[in-house]
Amino acid sequence: MAIRKHFLFPYRADKAAEAVAYLLKKCGGTKEYIWLLKALYFAERESLRKYGRPIIGGQYYSMEFGPVMGSVLTDMKEEANRSEAWNGVIERHLDYELRLVSEYNPD
C-alpha cells in the first residue's frame, strides 16, 4: 500500500498579489480570473516539482473546471474579504476579470 504524504504550506497573500499583478501586467492589465487561477496553479506545481516549495502556498481544491488554490480564489472574487496585500493593486473588473490598478510594491 502506498503512503501519501500531505504537506501544508501557509498561504502567502503578498506572494499571491505579486504573482497576479505580474501576470496581469504581462497580459495588458486585465485577464479572466479562471485563466489566472490556472496559470498560478501550473506555476505552483512547477515550483513544487523543481524546488520542493510553493510560490504562494495554501490549500488546493478540485473544482468543476480543474484545481484551484482556495485562498487565491477568495482574494480574487471577494473584495470585502480579501487580503490586505491585494488592496489598491488588483480589483475585479466585470464579473469574471481582474484588473491591475497599480504596480505591486511589497513594502
Side-chain angles (χ1 to χ4, degrees):
M1 177 163 92
I3 297 174
R4 295 183 68 168
K5 293 183 181 180
H6 296 278
F7 298 96
L8 179 61
F9 295 98
Y11 176 59
R12 297 279 313 271
D14 58 330
K15 293 295 183 184
E18 185 175 6
V20 170
Y22 174 82
L23 290 171
L24 287 171
K25 185 175 181 181
K26 292 291 185 182
C27 293
T30 60
K31 197 69 179 167
E32 299 86 9
Y33 71 86
I34 294 293
W35 185 93
L36 291 163
L37 283 168
K38 301 308 167 204
L40 291 172
Y41 172 79
F42 288 119
E44 196 84 338
R45 187 177 75 177
E46 186 64 14
S47 178
L48 283 167
R49 187 187 70 74
K50 277 178 105 170
Y51 307 111
R53 64 182 183 277
I55 300 166
I56 299 168
Q59 289 187 307
Y60 304 93
Y61 297 94
S62 177
M63 303 291 276
E64 182 180 357
F65 297 107
V68 297
M69 297 182 298
S71 296
V72 175
L73 180 60
T74 299
D75 280 341
M76 286 181 173
K77 293 183 82 172
E78 299 179 17
E79 290 183 341
N81 296 322
R82 88 170 19 154
S83 302
E84 188 67 31
W86 291 64
N87 293 337
V89 178
I90 299 159
E91 68 181 14
R92 286 202 58 191
H93 177 67
L94 305 174
D95 284 336
Y96 56 89
E97 287 185 342
L98 294 180
R99 175 173 40 200
L100 184 64
V101 178
S102 66
E103 293 286 323
Y104 180 79
N105 186 0
D107 291 336

